[in-house]
Amino acid sequence: MENENNFSRTISKPRSKKLNPKIDLTAMVSISFLLIIFFMVSNEISKPRGIELGLPQSCCISPEVIICGKDKRRTITLLLDGNNQVISYTGHLEFPEEKPKILDYGKNGIRKELLSKNEQIQLLYTSYSKYNSGAIVIIKPSRKSNFKNLIDILDEMSITNIQTYTIINDYTPEEVKLLKTI
């Protein structure tokens, strides 16, 4: 007979066992080490590095005149003008070695001039120094020149193998007069 008053023990479901969960930290340790390595490497890569510059043995820069090397004949200044023209002179414009030349870009223009001047300078200075004794080119883009002209002249520096060059946007009063007359 069934128990009608429910005072007796009823058949219940067995209690579930409480499990002690264990956390596996192996993956967290691996990720931690990977993050530490990543930040160490990225920190090392982001540090600024010094670059060796090919500067002449002696260089004197004043507000008006730049003198590089032992002789002003080693310095070639290129004024980038509009209409795809380059004005080239050697030494100082106040005391020019020769009259400034108006040249075009390309192998028969500025490239031919740079190759001949660099060869003359190297022949003149190879006995003086064991270091680079080629031409020192100062590139001065004018407001009329465009970005393509600057890229073209930098390509010419690479083609003619001129190691020492710089880009400056400061003009002497004589250079401003020269640019206005052309």
Side-chain angles (χ1 to χ4, degrees):
M1 206 183 207
E2 288 185 41
N3 197 355
E4 293 178 16
N5 56 9
N6 286 335
F7 291 116
S8 67
R9 200 170 186 196
T10 59
I11 302 172
S12 63
K13 295 182 183 175
R15 284 186 159 189
S16 62
K17 294 180 184 178
K18 288 189 177 183
L19 298 174
N20 291 332
K22 292 185 179 182
I23 299 173
D24 187 18
L25 295 177
T26 308
M28 287 294 274
V29 170
S30 298
I31 289 175
S32 300
F33 280 120
L34 286 174
L35 285 173
I36 290 170
I37 291 170
F38 170 75
F39 286 120
M40 286 173 57
V41 169
S42 64
N43 187 27
E44 191 65 31
I45 290 173
S46 67
K47 288 181 183 175
R49 302 277 186 226
I51 302 172
E52 272 192 49
L53 299 175
L55 296 175
Q57 283 96 14
S58 62
C59 189
C60 172
I61 301 173
S62 69
E64 298 285 325
V65 179
I66 298 174
I67 303 170
C68 292
K70 297 179 181 178
D71 194 354
K72 64 183 180 182
R73 291 177 290 179
R74 192 172 169 204
T75 305
I76 302 170
T77 304
L78 302 176
L79 302 173
L80 307 183
D81 197 24
N83 300 326
N84 293 328
Q85 292 182 337
V86 180
I87 302 169
S88 170
Y89 65 89
T90 305
H92 301 297
L93 192 57
E94 299 87 16
F95 313 106
E97 297 284 322
E98 56 190 41
K99 191 174 178 182
K101 298 177 185 177
I102 300 173
L103 304 165
D104 292 324
Y105 292 92
K107 64 180 180 179
N108 292 327
I110 189 66
R111 186 179 307 162
K112 184 177 178 183
E113 179 74 13
L114 287 173
L115 285 171
S116 68
K117 290 283 186 187
N118 195 29
E119 186 178 326
Q120 289 172 3
I121 292 169
Q122 283 180 343
L123 288 175
L124 185 65
Y125 286 98
T126 49
S127 61
Y128 288 97
S129 174
K130 63 179 179 180
Y131 302 107
N132 180 14
S133 57
I136 299 168
V137 179
I138 300 171
I139 303 167
K140 296 185 177 186
S142 71
R143 293 182 188 255
K144 296 177 188 176
S145 69
N146 55 30
F147 188 69
K148 182 185 179 306
N149 292 344
L150 184 62
I151 297 300
D152 288 343
I153 203 68
L154 292 175
D155 287 341
E156 294 297 333
M157 295 296 117
S158 177
I159 292 168
T160 57
N161 198 22
I162 293 178
Q163 301 294 319
T164 310
Y165 59 90
T166 185
I167 301 170
I168 301 175
N169 63 355
D170 293 331
Y171 297 97
T172 63
E174 290 79 13
E175 290 171 341
V176 172
K177 289 177 190 174
L178 180 64
L179 284 172
K180 284 181 181 178
T181 59
I182 294 175

